[in-house]
Amino acid sequence: MTIYDTFSTRTAQALPTLTPAEIKRIHRFGNKVCFRDGDQLVEAGHSKFGMYVLLKGRVRVSRCDGLGNSSIITEHDPGEFIGEISQLADAPPLVNVHALGEVEVLALSTEELRALLISDAELGERIVRAYILRRVEQLSNKDGGVVLVAAPGHPRLHALQGWLNSNGLPHRLLDPSLDPQAVALVERYQPQAHDWPLAVCPDGSVRKNPTTVDLGRCLGTLPPLSPDVVWDIIVVGAGPAGLAAAVYAASEGLSVLALETRAYGGQAAASARIENYLGFPTGISGGALAGRAFVQSQKFGVKLAIPAPAGRLLCGSHPLQVEMCGSLTLLQARSVVLACGARYRRPALDNLKLFEGRGVYYWASQLEAGMCASEEVILVGGGNSAGQAAVYLAAHAAKVHMLIRKDSLASTMSSYLIERIAATPNIELHTHSEIIALEGSDEDGLQQVRVRDNRSRLETGYDICRVFLFIGADPNTGWLGDCGVEVDDKGFILTGSDTSGDCTVARTGLETSVPGVFAIGDVRANSTKRVAAAVGEGAAVVAQIHAFLAHNSR
């Protein structure tokens, strides 16, 4: 093994060498394939495979982007294997691999790789850990993946970069006024004002002003979905509840399709640190927890589509049907799990939409924190998510002004977070306060925020360019009208005995008023709004689905 790149830690785990006995255990899952000197085993953006185990010869692995930039990551010798998270997710690779001399490999498809991971736990652990660490290296180097081309501060960049970061997808940004390759690209494609940003996919194709759907298709997170397939379960939403349901169902042999609007992990993935989740005494970030759950789902064969918002649920016949947003495609399933969570609540402020992504944010990730260096920011909200975000931002911003309407945080936030906020000198809590106006322009973004103290009625202007809103969320159930799923007066889905259906029909605890349709997590009425509770409901619903499917197969 020759390492040209820098795996800062855990090199032996990222680039392990299998023993002859271990390779022998893999033989029954794959087939031997030979390559000649100079042959390309893997082409970034194109090839599909699960894993190559090198039996003879040597190969070179190079990072590559759609602009033709290439640099060597490592060279593999016999006993080492080729692959990373893209292969586990059946997505196009982000690297090139070439044979250095005569080469023989043991080739496994994605399905064969998954079968190996399930049947051989010890080998599976080593392979999955290596795949994860290789993706971490790709993210830290920001090479491979999508190349975004636009002037820094372009209003669409934040949304695209946020989507890529949230889904663990490496990318980099080029400034067309400074970078020679970006200049050449602009000269070739001649983008108009409405064409920015440009996105160069790993296969070399270029998208003008791409949507996240465009990026999902070029990176493989949004695979083609056939209307002819009948899934055992379609899970709508890939937050903690949805991912838990998908993982438990797939691990028990059910076919699972999970549809997610933005990014796996849902709103929980935006939490800077979850400290009261069982089993993590030092805490874990929402993103790290979501990333682990995503890898688990791929290990067990969940088909995950992102971004894939559901537009309608049709319950008039069986199989049930889910219509995709902006498409006439109808996906079929024997059961549907609604884990669609909630939408960020937006205050009634003029110009709010103008500043979203350009000064107003609904989460606080590393991307947003980097924008706040040495600046003062405003954060609105008094729940646990707001507290976690305030502490996280305080490590980057000069000062965090925390606004709440109540007189204290005691009734809305966990005590450990209240104590931490009180102990953080650059967090200032403003009680009985709210934002009444946002000021700025389309060109410059947010420039000033006006805040009112509701006791004194005193209004204060803050020259602040970053506002974070953590004021709760409304249930994402507006798309269920055609199905007749019962909701309460706030829009949360009723389940079990809370439904008003035929009292002679026995409904399990998480089943809605529509047979075969279940609801879990934050979208369910009377649910506990905690990550652990959501995961518990995701596990519990699978047993109820088994019972439903067994009853309806008679």
Side-chain angles (χ1 to χ4, degrees):
M1 172 179 65
T2 302
I3 303 173
Y4 290 82
D5 215 339
T6 302
F7 285 80
S8 57
T9 59
R10 303 171 75 178
T11 301
Q13 292 178 313
L15 303 169
T17 300
L18 304 177
T19 66
E22 289 171 331
I23 294 174
K24 186 176 180 179
R25 282 150 55 186
I26 301 174
H27 266 277
R28 66 187 178 95
F29 295 96
N31 298 288
K32 290 182 180 180
V33 181
C34 294
F35 296 91
R36 296 179 178 177
D37 182 30
D39 283 353
Q40 186 164 10
L41 287 72
V42 177
E43 183 180 4
H46 292 282
S47 305
K48 282 290 188 80
F49 71 103
M51 180 173 72
Y52 288 151
V53 181
L54 195 58
L55 301 177
K56 296 179 182 177
R58 170 176 276 217
V59 297
R60 176 172 291 164
V61 182
S62 305
R63 64 166 60 88
C64 178
D65 62 30
L67 293 173
N69 298 304
S70 181
S71 61
I72 300 172
I73 298 175
T74 188
E75 290 180 1
H76 286 310
D77 294 313
E80 299 181 74
F81 55 85
I82 303 163
E84 55 93 28
I85 290 298
S86 295
Q87 282 62 72
L88 189 56
D90 199 24
L94 302 179
V95 299
N96 287 332
V97 180
H98 289 86
L100 302 177
E102 300 294 315
V103 165
E104 184 179 53
V105 301
L106 186 61
L108 282 71
S109 67
T110 296
E111 287 304 314
E112 291 166 337
L113 171 62
R114 288 171 176 163
L116 167 64
L117 301 181
I118 299 302
S119 67
D120 194 321
E122 188 272 332
L123 271 178
E125 180 182 356
R126 294 181 65 194
I127 293 167
V128 169
R129 182 182 292 115
Y131 274 27
I132 291 171
L133 292 174
R134 292 172 187 185
R135 173 52 63 88
V136 170
E137 186 273 340
Q138 290 173 319
L139 288 167
S140 65
N141 282 284
K142 298 184 178 179
D143 282 329
V146 165
V147 179
L148 298 175
V149 179
H154 187 280
R156 293 233 42 237
L157 274 181
H158 180 265
L160 296 178
Q161 288 186 282
W163 182 82
L164 291 163
N165 285 339
S166 296
N167 286 291
L169 297 167
H171 64 280
R172 63 192 180 103
L173 175 64
L174 298 183
D175 186 341
S177 67
L178 300 174
D179 187 90
Q181 286 188 310
V183 171
L185 196 72
V186 170
E187 289 176 352
R188 178 180 177 185
Y189 286 93
Q190 296 293 310
Q192 303 301 307
H194 59 274
D195 291 330
W196 296 96
L198 301 179
V200 186
C201 296
D203 64 2
S205 61
V206 175
R207 307 285 198 275
K208 293 181 178 180
N209 191 14
T211 63
T212 54
V213 169
D214 295 325
L215 296 185
R217 286 176 178 152
C218 87
L219 292 169
T221 67
L222 184 57
L225 299 174
S226 172
D228 299 325
V229 176
V230 180
W231 301 87
D232 289 326
I233 306 174
I234 290 180
V235 180
V236 182
L243 281 174
V247 166
Y248 279 98
S251 70
E252 295 178 13
L254 298 176
S255 61
V256 182
L257 170 64
L259 306 174
E260 168 56 39
T261 299
R262 184 178 182 272
Y264 58 75
Q267 295 182 26
S271 296
R273 184 167 295 275
I274 303 170
E275 296 194 57
N276 55 1
Y277 191 79
L278 190 66
F280 294 91
T282 59
I284 184 171
S285 72
L289 188 64
R292 295 180 185 192
F294 164 73
V295 174
Q296 270 184 306
S297 73
Q298 299 310 289
K299 169 184 170 181
F300 287 114
V302 174
K303 189 78 166 180
L304 180 57
I306 307 174
R312 285 199 304 164
L313 177 59
L314 306 177
C315 308
S317 61
H318 278 270
L320 299 163
Q321 294 180 319
V322 177
E323 183 180 276
M324 302 302 296
C325 234
S327 167
L328 297 179
T329 301
L330 292 175
L331 305 174
Q332 302 184 79
R334 296 179 181 89
S335 64
V336 172
V337 175
L338 302 175
C340 39
R343 299 180 185 275
Y344 293 108
R345 192 170 293 155
R346 289 166 164 79
L349 292 171
D350 293 339
N351 297 328
L352 176 64
K353 191 169 183 61
L354 174 65
F355 299 124
E356 288 179 334
R358 304 193 63 210
V360 174
Y361 310 97
Y362 297 93
W363 52 84
S365 70
Q366 185 177 7
L367 178 64
E368 289 77 31
M371 300 175 179
C372 301
S374 304
E375 294 183 8
E376 293 193 9
V377 303
I378 287 177
L379 185 145
V380 183
N384 276 5
S385 294
Q388 291 160 355
V391 172
Y392 176 65
L393 290 171
H396 302 270
K399 187 172 187 178
V400 178
H401 297 272
M402 193 171 185
L403 276 55
I404 61 172
R405 290 184 176 184
K406 294 188 174 185
D407 59 357
S408 77
L409 296 168
S411 64
T412 58
M413 188 179 293
S414 296
S415 60
Y416 81 92
L417 278 172
I418 296 175
E419 293 169 8
R420 187 162 299 167
I421 287 168
T424 305
N426 62 332
I427 298 178
E428 181 178 349
L429 181 64
H430 302 258
T431 59
H432 300 284
S433 299
E434 64 179 313
I435 295 175
I436 58 171
L438 303 171
E439 298 174 8
S441 67
D442 188 33
E443 295 78 18
D444 300 324
L446 182 65
Q447 296 296 306
Q448 191 179 69
V449 183
R450 294 199 63 78
V451 175
R452 181 176 63 208
D453 184 317
N454 288 326
R455 292 167 301 182
S456 66
R457 314 305 293 177
L458 177 66
E459 296 182 7
T460 304
Y462 293 89
D463 293 330
I464 282 177
C465 302
R466 313 286 175 196
V467 170
F468 295 85
L469 300 177
F470 288 81
I471 57 175
D474 297 314
N476 181 23
T477 53
W479 61 284
L480 297 172
D482 291 330
C483 183
V485 172
E486 285 188 27
V487 298
D488 66 12
D489 57 353
K490 295 180 180 179
F492 291 94
I493 299 172
L494 297 171
T495 57
S497 60
D498 290 335
T499 62
S500 60
D502 185 350
C503 62
T504 64
V505 178
R507 301 202 185 283
T508 55
L510 298 172
E511 192 173 17
T512 70
S513 57
V514 177
V517 178
F518 301 79
I520 56 176
D522 288 359
V523 76
R524 190 177 71 84
N526 302 316
S527 65
T528 301
K529 310 307 191 228
R530 289 288 187 272
V531 173
V535 171
E537 290 190 6
V541 77
V542 175
Q544 297 175 25
I545 290 171
H546 274 303
F548 171 81
L549 294 177
H551 177 77
N552 283 272
S553 66
R554 295 171 188 169

